Amino acid sequence: MPEVTRRTLLAFTAAVASVVEPTFAEAEGASPELRALIGAHEATYVGLHRVVHQAGSSSHERKRADRIEQEALLAICSYPAISRGDRRAKADYLLTVEARGELDLEEHMQAILHSMKR
């Protein structure tokens, strides 16, 4: 049996969402709440890279920026995507993040799985 990885699970979630839900439902966009969470994560991600690549940034500054970015990502992971648009947007965004190798903490997967139970 092949190993189940985070990428496999997320790809499966996106595939199920697109098969179970009619594709015309994709026009139903993500909720303002999820769009705000994604926007916040994108901003904190840019901020993290700015601090990491900034000459003279301290270890404390880098750790703080990393913690803020991780909290923003966890907020998306734990968001209970109920609508078709939210499920699709959440899966697409998390697959993009995972492709960069950044959806790697145990807390990420736990938050995603718990959000599916709500």
Side-chain angles (χ1 to χ4, degrees), residues 2 7 31 41-42 49 51 62 70 73 75 79 81 86 108 113:
R7 180 181 299 238
S31 66
H41 178 256
E42 289 173 336
H49 280 273
V51 169
R62 289 188 298 272
Q70 287 298 326
L73 182 55
Y79 182 78
D86 276 359
H108 295 145
L113 294 172

Side-chain angles (χ1 to χ4, degrees), residues 54-106:
Q54 179 182 0
S57 65
S58 70
S59 173
H60 174 71
E61 290 171 317
R62 289 188 298 272
K63 286 179 183 177
R64 182 175 183 275
D66 182 59
R67 180 181 44 78
I68 292 169
E69 186 271 336
Q70 287 298 326
E71 288 173 359
L73 182 55
L74 280 170
I76 296 168
C77 292
S78 62
Y79 182 78
I82 296 170
S83 74
R84 294 176 186 133
D86 276 359
R87 286 192 301 270
R88 181 65 179 209
K90 180 178 175 177
D92 286 345
Y93 189 74
L94 292 178
L95 283 167
T96 300
V97 170
E98 198 281 331
R100 295 189 309 237
E102 297 170 3
L103 192 63
D104 56 353
L105 297 179
E106 184 178 319

